[in-house]
Amino acid sequence: MAIQVAKALGARVVTTVGGPEKVARARELGADVAIDHRAEDFTEHGPYDVILDVVGGDYLERNVRSLAADGRLVVIGLQNGPEGRLDLAEIVFKRASVHGTTLRTRSKEDKAEIVAQVQENVWPMIEGGTVKPLVDRTVPMADAAEGHRLMEAGGHLGKILLVNDESA
């Protein structure tokens, strides 16, 4: 959804994905450039004004190196772990900033404010069809272990939803 929201807001979107199928899907969703990180180095397409990082870990150094002057790196996930190398000179000379955020540790009040902002700014895009939820498949709750296996395998294109309806 980040691709769709960014495009709706007028951004040029460059994204990294794993595999040619996901490259094609990212382009269908509106990505201007979709890079298969298994075959190509995303740093060659920079510099970037904003990087939204769901990977963390060893991507930190490459992400910072790829930032434009006054660029912002926002870390929202730690799939490759919580630690990475940070060159402070790179941050200083670029006047760059690194932000980390999560919903898990926020107060109920903070979460309520985020929901209100999403309702005001994103929900109209969903209602208007500009942004569409991406559902790869639904899995009955009784098969939750299978849903987790599918997610860990990484071949899905969108969310895997656990549903109570046995007809899923």
Side-chain angles (χ1 to χ4, degrees), residues 66-159:
S66 300
L67 285 173
D70 299 310
R72 298 173 310 270
L73 169 61
V74 182
V75 180
I76 62 168
L78 302 170
Q79 293 174 356
N80 274 8
E83 296 181 14
R85 185 178 177 283
L86 181 61
D87 182 344
L88 293 175
E90 193 95 42
I91 298 284
V92 170
F93 295 134
K94 289 182 177 181
R95 299 174 313 276
S97 59
V98 178
H99 304 268
T101 190
T102 182
L103 285 174
R104 289 186 180 124
T105 58
R106 292 180 181 260
S107 69
K108 289 178 183 178
E109 295 78 19
D110 283 352
K111 290 177 184 178
E113 177 57 28
I114 291 167
V115 168
Q117 290 295 318
V118 167
Q119 285 177 317
E120 181 180 334
N121 298 299
V122 178
W123 201 255
M125 295 180 207
I126 295 169
E127 286 179 328
T130 305
V131 173
K132 297 180 176 109
L134 304 174
V135 177
D136 182 83
R137 69 188 78 183
T138 59
V139 176
M141 190 66 72
D143 297 330
E146 174 64 8
H148 282 279
R149 188 197 64 73
L150 291 166
M151 188 172 62
E152 289 170 4
H156 57 287
L157 298 167
K159 299 297 181 188

Side-chain angles (χ1 to χ4, degrees), residues 15-96:
T15 187
T16 58
V17 294
E21 245 184 53
K22 291 184 179 184
V23 165
R25 184 68 174 130
R27 287 186 179 139
E28 288 171 13
L29 292 170
D32 298 288
V33 178
I35 301 162
D36 181 350
H37 66 81
R38 297 173 185 163
E40 187 177 359
D41 184 0
F42 70 91
T43 63
E44 296 175 12
H45 294 271
Y48 306 107
D49 295 320
V50 178
I51 297 175
L52 184 62
D53 179 14
V54 299
V55 178
D58 61 354
Y59 271 64
L60 177 62
E61 185 176 11
R62 287 180 281 176
N63 285 337
V64 170
R65 190 173 352 116
S66 300
L67 285 173
D70 299 310
R72 298 173 310 270
L73 169 61
V74 182
V75 180
I76 62 168
L78 302 170
Q79 293 174 356
N80 274 8
E83 296 181 14
R85 185 178 177 283
L86 181 61
D87 182 344
L88 293 175
E90 193 95 42
I91 298 284
V92 170
F93 295 134
K94 289 182 177 181
R95 299 174 313 276

